[in-house]
Amino acid sequence: MKQQRFRFRVMAFLLIALLLLAGGYGVYSVSTYGSRWFGSSYNTRYRAAKKTVIPGDILDRNGVVLATADEEGKRTYPTGWHTRSAMVHVVGDQDGNVSNTVDSFQASYLWGFETTLEERIEALRTGEKRRGDNVTLTVDSTLQTNIAAAFANLENSKGKAGAAVVMNYKTGEVLALLSVPTFDPLGSMDAVKDDPQHPFWNRAVQSVQAPGSTFKIITAVSTLQNLADAETHLFDCSTGATMIMDQIIRDYGYEHHGMITLEKAFQVSCNNSFAQAALLIGDKNLKKTAEAFGFNDNFLFRDLVVENSRYPTQNRNDFEVAWSGAGQSQVAATPLHMCMVAAAIANDGVMMEPRLLMKVNSPAGVQRLGFTSKVYSQACTPELAAKVEGYMKNVVTKGTGKAAAVEGLSIAGKTGSAEGSIDGRYVTHAWFVGYIDDPAYPYAVSVFVEEGASGGKAAAPIAHEIFGWLTGQ
Amino acid sequence: MPAEIYEIVALAARFWFLFLMALIVLRSYRWYARERRQRKKRLRLLPDAGYIGEFVVLQGAGDLKEGEVLSVPFEGTLGFVRSNDLCVPVPGVATRHLWFSYDERKGLKLTALGRNDFSVDEKTIGEEPKGLCMVHGSRLYIGECELRLRMFAGYEVGMNPQRMMTADYPPQQWQQAPYPPYGQQGMPCPGMSAYAPGQPYGMNPQQPVYHQPPQPMVGYGPAMPYYPPNGYPPQVGWNQQQWQYQQNWQQAAYAQPHPPAQPMPPQWQPEPFVQPVEEEVITFHPLMEDEDWEEEAYEEENRFAAHDQQRMERYTREPQQPAPQEFYPLETGEDVWPVMPRPDEWRSEGLFDDLLDEDGTDASLPPKSAYVGRDESAWAKRRIWDKYFGGGDAP
Amino acid sequence: MSRMNARQQAAWEKRKVRRQPERRLVAVEMLFFFSAFLLISLKEKVDFVGLLLAFVVPALIFVATIWMPRFFPADKLLMAIVNFLCALGVLILYSTDGDAGTSRGFQQALYYGLGLIAMLICILLVRYVRRWRVLIWIIAVGALGLIALPLAIGTEINGATNWIRIGSTSLQPSEVVKIALVLILSYFMSRRKLVPWLGFVGLCMGVLMLQKDLGTALIYYCTGLILFYVSTGNLALTGVGLLGAGGAAILGYKMFAHVKRRVAVWRNPWQYYETSGYQIAQVLMAIASGGLLGVGLGLGAPRVIPVYFTDCIFAVICEQFGVIFGILTLVMYAIIIIRGVSTAVSARRGFHALIAMGVTAMLGIQTFIIIGGVLKLIPLTGVTMPFVSYGGTSMVSCMGLIGLLQGVHSLNQDDLSYDYEISRTLAQQAGLQLADE
């Protein structure tokens, strides 16, 4: 009996621990993912509120009304065709075809779930229909429309899918979050639905693709961190190919660069050198640096739902590790995340959390939520960031990214040509990430063109245009 | 009511419901904590609660000294290690040696765990593999030691003819005691009363002897298994139950003619409590008294003094070394409730040594359950009661 | 203290009665349910069923918590908490009825009354039955017959053949057999008879597997395992049992596609939203839309959740009253567990102790399985939430289990008061008074 009583108490502790575990997990998951669950496009609850509430307006940073609602509570988009098409992945459409847009993710504000009791009573007194809160975004609709136009007009990106992200690297404001192809939220959806390019898909935050050579920013940081003679070490690219585990690593177009330093290798985007660097520093160190930059992390940003980026952890052999150094081999990231990587280098290694909401105001004008910038992580030290910044400037001035250069601006960047597959076809995606090194224009840019073949040719020209618009040139 | 107004009312009511829920949980918790406190306090007041008897060590070995007492719960294991309900640290006893369980009609039933060996009185477990039963006074031979069972479980066991014994103490001594003797205190618990010498135990003299099944009566019968709190319905037919007991168990006792009635000693009446006129508080607490009272006055006026003297002449034993009082120091403050001394301290309290039989037990004396007669366990309880519980805090 | 006159004395006594903890608690509970039912019944137009419930449910709580324990020393705190949970179930079901045309709230109130009767019967059973030797075999045979009955005349609901239909009412025998299971396992374990113990558990598990009732089988298995560990203390065999269960789970995962799908749904329900992930996704959205404080009683859209009235009722509670309220509900279950275990600890006979522990383990495991499932901690399995979920059999079985616990508690109290009475009388005779009086 004595031992039995002891065991009774053990079981009591066990059962109560189980219940507490369930409760604690519930609190944790609701506080962490609650807004995501609620903002899910499957959620029919806020649509049920339509009867009593008129949803609030969505404005851009300059006060342009991107979306409003009529007296029945139906969404309308008062801007022109170009703007409303370019903004559709951010703002959302009437049927909720695009998931995790502002319209659904901020539903608790827009549909008046945050309205206080006094305001409800006030609405009841005046007899008017209750209105949801107005949400002002950090996005610049003019800029985003221009980028969409550039995508459509420039030769190498015409008709191709892609994404472009512009961020303020000091504060984390997202100035543009474009995904192409776009579509008109007021138009017919029949053709859009069957489009093989899947226009409903918001590529800027949902498309997790191999970052290709743009990942070499992280490899370079890791090499500088972990290799003592990183700046003087000579990498062997005399043949243009490296044999690892009886498999070959080669450069784009079998170029060969001879014995080169890290700086030169970065400038010419030499896969062989970065493969050797990745093997020298080892998978563990590279993974550590990548995770410092946000890979394998669960992105739980306040305003944005972003797919998680991956740095592979399983089935690692030397060949895979070597390719990882060049941003291939199941390394994958979204355009927004690569923009954050460039922004971290620009901001002395401090990665800011991307922010989409400038402010939320009640219909009467009372501010419910203001803009606060938040540091996401310290990705690397300022010294390393400064070194890599120098490398990235070389890329734009005399390397693969010359097309992005703008007269009179100090621009740093990195191109990328990533091999991936779409529906079983092997294709090459074009990447460009970069930023303006100027305190007056603290903007980082990431451009991604699906099947763009070469980053320097398809993505960098678009970045060139963006830099121009940002600085008013 | 209109949907908008209902919405506002329901939203406001959220806080009200949450407040009530929090209040409910808080009150539940406080109630739980309070009951837990009360229960602990009450269990400290009842050191015997949950025990059916004691094993007295007749022949010790190892760490188990002769004369030690082990309290026996209703069920449990007996073995070498401390996690057993009965820890018998004696060579020859297995880690878990036997399982015992109490049966109201048979006594304490012992079953071997595994192939462990032991014997009760004359029988070994090998002869009766289904289990051996111990009654009051039975001896258990286990390992190298010998234990004797002293039962004080419920009085329904006292009705068992196997346990009927005769008292042999002189009733005249009672009147000289400072307190009225145990048996004379009225009914110590429902259904019990004083016994005259020569009267069989297990029988209540104030209880009618039935010669035929009685008509059902309403009231609080002597066999009420728990005390009736306010509002409990009176038990119906308790006297018929008594008839059944009589039929089952008391035939042996009633086969002989009832002994002639003895003149009962006068009933002791407690002094009526007089409310002190002055408002000043009079503190009376045995703990605050000096030890002279305990040592001298109590010993001299002890109602058992003469009886003890006889025993002491008959039976002397080497003086024991007083055990170090490391557990539960006696100088407890008012805020700390005194606790029951540990069995190993009882010896140093002088509770047992001078009262033991030749064989070290009281098996010739009535069970504690009856709370009658000369039972040193009762007397020990009485001493403890006087010393620790007596003062109580006046209401 | 100054002297009081008779009137003051009477007032003081009255106040003391009013301030008893059970009265203080039950008063708040009654206020809660009165205001809640009143609020819902006035939602659109005045609903007389709601007004009736606003008086009947608090009255049931009062009867069960204050009045019923006058006949035996039951655990009033446990009674108060259990009754609160039952009434909460009635409230939630009534609030979700709304304009749907169902009358589950009223039905559940009837089941609640039925559950109280079942509890009373179980209390009397434990309290007054002294000779179990023959009875337990009768119960065992009857329980086996009952649990196997759906195999012969059962109907299939939600993929499991565990219901039998008699006329217009349907019945789930495996719920009622839970009571018998606890009694039988405790009896055989306290008599150290392992063969009938194993036989009964094995037969029950086999029948449940044939019926494909995995949730109930899991509860039975866990209860059996806990009782085995608690009564024998044999960690090795318990570990073997756990490993066996784990191995069976892995084997089932490897062999059956639907188990695989269920695990995949558990890991990411949104991916399978259109098919099998619909339920858990809706549950999560409901909990999230409730937030900390809830959307308000009678508001929200709980009816989009599949089986919102039985399995997912916790999500409805969280949506309407908020996550904090849900956590407080869990605290109530934790208090039930604590009380159950302390009843088991203070029981003096092994049989009674094991009954109390078995009841506690069964209720605790069932609560964890369903609440962990709803909160996506473990894969969602279709079992009911004790006391709250809709359903007569579930209510009867849970209240019956609580009845067993109350019976054991009342026996403990009897034993203790007997000991106490002896000491109290002795003290009175000595002209003293016990310290706690």
Side-chain angles (χ1 to χ4, degrees), chain B residues 1-3 6-11 13-18 20-25 27-32 34-36 38-39 41-43 45-51 74-75 77 99 102 104-106 113 154-156 179-180 182 184-190 192 224-227 230-233 268 270 275-277 279 284 337 369 371 381-382 385-386 389-395, chain C residues 1-3 19 21-22 24-25 27-29 31-32 35-36 39-40 42-45 65 69-77 80-81 84 88 127-128 130-131 133 190 192 290 292-299 320-321 324-325 328-329 331-332 335 338-339 342 346 348-351 409 413-437:
Chain B
M1 67 179 86
Y6 179 78
E7 206 175 311
I8 289 171
V9 174
L11 282 173
R14 292 184 308 178
F15 299 100
W16 166 246
F17 289 134
L18 191 63
L20 287 184
M21 181 66 173
L23 200 62
I24 288 168
V25 171
R27 286 195 170 172
S28 311
Y29 179 75
R30 286 183 58 184
W31 182 5
Y32 162 72
R34 178 180 149 164
E35 276 210 6
R36 188 184 155 88
Q38 280 182 348
R39 186 186 162 73
K41 201 169 161 188
R42 177 165 292 197
L43 281 180
L45 278 178
L46 304 171
D48 286 340
Y51 293 110
F74 277 73
E75 280 180 31
T77 53
W99 169 264
Y102 170 66
E104 288 174 357
R105 302 186 184 265
K106 291 178 188 161
L113 294 172
Y155 57 90
E156 55 271 45
Y179 291 105
Y182 244 151
Q184 284 304 102
Q185 289 163 354
M187 297 210 312
C189 61
M192 286 179 206
M224 192 75 177
Y226 53 89
Y227 74 102
N230 294 337
Y232 273 62
W268 176 79
Q275 182 79 31
V277 182
E279 286 293 300
F284 175 79
W337 187 255
S369 64
Y371 286 101
K381 190 167 178 178
R382 175 61 188 273
W385 188 257
D386 289 346
F389 304 143
D393 35 354
Chain C
M1 197 172 65
S2 61
R3 216 64 63 79
R19 291 182 68 81
E22 60 263 32
R24 285 162 66 95
L25 180 57
V28 183
E29 288 184 359
L31 184 62
F32 182 98
S35 52
L39 180 66
I40 308 174
L42 299 176
K43 190 177 176 185
E44 280 157 11
K45 55 184 192 306
T65 315
R70 289 172 73 98
F71 296 101
F72 32 75
D75 187 348
K76 289 183 192 169
L77 171 59
I81 290 178
F84 177 83
L88 184 67
R127 222 175 130 67
Y128 293 113
R130 291 296 164 99
R131 307 213 153 197
R133 187 191 292 187
S190 64
R192 324 220 131 225
L292 282 184
L293 287 173
V295 294
L297 184 58
L299 301 177
Q320 300 212 341
F321 289 109
I324 299 176
F325 193 96
L328 290 178
T329 320
V331 172
M332 291 208 147
I335 295 180
I338 295 174
R339 291 298 282 198
S342 60
S346 52
R348 294 191 182 172
R349 291 155 185 89
F351 178 42
H409 189 272
Q413 287 301 101
D414 284 355
D415 285 339
L416 195 64
S417 7
Y418 179 72
D419 287 340
Y420 183 70
E421 179 64 9
I422 292 172
S423 295
R424 200 174 66 92
T425 318
L426 289 175
Q428 271 179 1
Q429 297 303 325
L432 303 167
Q433 208 159 15
L434 284 194
D436 65 337
E437 279 191 326

Side-chain angles (χ1 to χ4, degrees), chain C residues 26 29-30 33 37 52-69 79-80 82-84 86-87 90 105-117 119 395 399:
Chain C
V26 168
E29 288 184 359
M30 288 166 73
F33 287 109
F37 278 110
L52 183 70
L53 287 179
F55 289 96
V56 166
V57 169
L60 276 177
I61 292 180
F62 182 84
V63 165
T65 315
I66 303 290
W67 191 70
M68 225 160 90
M79 211 68 124
V82 164
N83 279 293
F84 177 83
C86 291
V90 177
F106 187 70
Q107 284 282 320
Q108 181 76 352
L110 293 183
Y111 293 150
Y112 176 22
L114 200 67
L116 286 179
I117 293 168
M119 176 156 78
M395 182 62 98
M399 294 294 261

Side-chain angles (χ1 to χ4, degrees), chain B residues 159 161 164 243-256:
Chain B
M159 300 256 182
M164 288 188 180
W243 161 258
Q244 279 303 323
Y245 276 136
Q246 189 180 311
Q247 288 297 304
N248 292 337
W249 298 111
Q250 298 186 352
Q251 279 183 352
Y254 285 95
Q256 280 119 35

Side-chain angles (χ1 to χ4, degrees), chain A residues 151 161-167 174 176-180 201-211 214 295 299 301 304-309 332-343 351 354 429-434 444-450 459:
Chain A
F151 252 99
V165 182
V166 180
M167 255 178 84
V174 175
L177 193 75
L178 175 73
S179 168
V180 279
W201 203 19
N202 187 356
R203 286 176 164 73
V205 292
Q206 287 181 322
S207 164
V208 189
Q209 297 287 351
T214 53
F295 281 79
F299 289 140
F301 304 139
L304 280 161
V305 180
V306 184
E307 287 285 310
N308 300 335
S309 302
T334 54
L336 178 74
H337 185 215
M338 288 319 290
C339 187
M340 285 163 65
V341 169
M351 196 181 254
H429 302 313
W431 280 89
F432 180 86
V433 301
V445 168
S446 150
V447 180
F448 166 68
V449 184
E450 265 183 29

